[in-house]
């Protein structure tokens, strides 16, 4: 059958990751990269990829089966999500957890009115971690769910460091506590404080004349970002920052620890170890684009989340193939 025609709206880390992921999926074809910048300024991974202005999207409704929205959660997706769900089947990675219900409602109305399928908040958290939290709670109703993140680069915390006076560059890694994870894996269902679950490690380049002690004190005491954690601050050179800290690793663990009877503890664990957070997130978005295409063909319109998508719809294999091979 004809390949699924995918468009990419916004070309940053996720946009590049989606382009790479499409190349790994034989049933998909990249039909357009759309950007708010001047299209001739973009350098796609594949020099031959078609690049258009975001303004052209209005006329491209018939050329794109699913548009993957790769804008930022803070200000791009709240605006682009509802606008583009009126014109296309969409997938996004909206990750502002507290605002997901609001985003769902904003996308649902235009999608339903225009018979489009709009999957929001796919990725790994929200996304694959959310699915594993649901499985854990449903299978072990008497239990606790634990999410640990890292070792990983946190964009938000790295931005916060870079805003400190006297800092010219820096990154922050979130590190899960091995001791806490082992305790959870034992089935003992511990109550863990924020400080016990994760530590934070910063690599900072000082601006000329700035004081290490002053910068360290400012970072470790920063409200909401660092004050509830044990934080170490390492000072490095700009060259070291560029050489050793340009990758975007991430990952973590979702663990459900429950009891089926007083005698028996049961532990479920899902873990991710990602060398590139955006490339993995993009791979998830692309698999969900396949599901969205099928749901749209089946007349399942409106906003959806990962909870609404049957696992078999993610696979390029047919339901009959999956039954024969994987059951
Ligand atoms: P980027 O900042 O790399 O890109 C966001 C947008 O900014 C792009 O769509 C692009 O739009 C624009 N842009 C990118 N590079 C440039 C540039 N050099 N100059 C000007 N504009 C640029 O964000 P990411 O791709 O890293 O992440 C996008 C979102 O993904 C994040 O906000 C996060 O919320 C979400 N995310 C979700 C995850 C999950 O598990 N659910 C995991 C990881 C991320 P345009 O081309 O139109 O200019």
């Amino acid at each position: 059958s004809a390949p699924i025609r995918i468009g990419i709206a916004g070309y940053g880390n996720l946009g590049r990751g989606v382009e790479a992921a499409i190349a790994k999926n034989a049933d998909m074809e990249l039909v357009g990269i759309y950007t708010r910048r001047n299209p001739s300024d973009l350098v796609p991974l594949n020099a031959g990829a078609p690049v258009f202005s975001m303004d052209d999207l209005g006329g491209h409704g018939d050329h794109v089966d699913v548009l993957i929205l790769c804008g930022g959660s803070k200000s791009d997706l709240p605006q682009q999500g509802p606008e583009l769900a009126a014109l296309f089947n969409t997938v996004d990675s909206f990750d502002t957890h507290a605002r997901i219900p609001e985003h769902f409602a904003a996308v649902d109305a235009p999608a339903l009115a225009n018979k489009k399928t709009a999957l929001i908040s796919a990725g790994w958290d929200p996304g694959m971690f959310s699915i594993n939290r649901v499985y854990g709670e449903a299978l072990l109703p008497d239990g606790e769910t634990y999410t640990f993140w890292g070792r990983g680069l946190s964009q938000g915390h790295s931005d916060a460091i870079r805003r400190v006076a006297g800092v010219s560059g820096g990154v922050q890694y979130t590190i899960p506590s091995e001791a806490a994870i082992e305790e959870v894996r034992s089935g003992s269902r511990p109550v863990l404080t924020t400080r016990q679950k994760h530590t934070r490690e910063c690599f900072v380049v000082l601006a000329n004349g700035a004081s290490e002690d002053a910068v360290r004190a400012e970072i470790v005491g920063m409200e909401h970002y660092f004050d509830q954690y044990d934080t170490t601050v390492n000072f490095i050179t700009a060259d070291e920052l560029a050489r050793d800290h340009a990758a975007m690793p991430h990952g973590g663990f979702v663990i459900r620890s429950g009891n089926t009877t007083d005698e028996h503890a049961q532990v479920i664990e899902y873990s991710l170890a990602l060398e590139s957070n955006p490339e993995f997130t993009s791979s998830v978005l692309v698999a969900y684009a396949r599901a969205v295409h099928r749901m749209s063909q089946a007349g399942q319109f409106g906003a959806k989340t990962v909870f609404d998508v049957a696992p078999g719809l993610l696979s390029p294999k047919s339901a009959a193939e999956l039954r024969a091979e994987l059951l």
Side-chain angles (χ1 to χ4, degrees), residues 9-16 33-37 42 54 69-74 76-77 80 92-96 121-127 155 248 277-278 281 285:
Y11 198 71
N13 297 310
L14 288 192
R16 280 189 296 277
I33 296 170
Y34 297 86
T35 181
R36 292 163 296 185
R37 286 164 284 163
L42 284 202
M54 205 77 93
L69 311 188
C70 297
S73 291
K74 197 160 179 225
D76 297 340
L77 295 177
Q80 293 172 348
D92 78 36
S93 70
F94 187 75
D95 72 353
T96 314
S121 300
W124 63 278
D125 198 357
Q155 213 61 64
M248 286 183 269
N277 172 2
T281 302
L285 299 181

Side-chain angles (χ1 to χ4, degrees), residues 117-137:
T117 309
L119 184 94
I120 66 153
S121 300
W124 63 278
D125 198 357
M128 300 314 295
F129 273 15
S130 323
I131 292 172
N132 282 278
R133 286 188 283 257
V134 164
Y135 279 141
E137 283 194 26

Side-chain angles (χ1 to χ4, degrees), residues 83 116 285:
E83 271 176 31
K116 302 295 180 196
L285 299 181

Side-chain angles (χ1 to χ4, degrees), residues 173 205 236-247:
Y173 297 96
V205 181
I236 59 173
T237 66
D239 287 345
E240 286 168 332
L241 181 70
R243 187 191 67 205
D244 302 334
H245 301 281

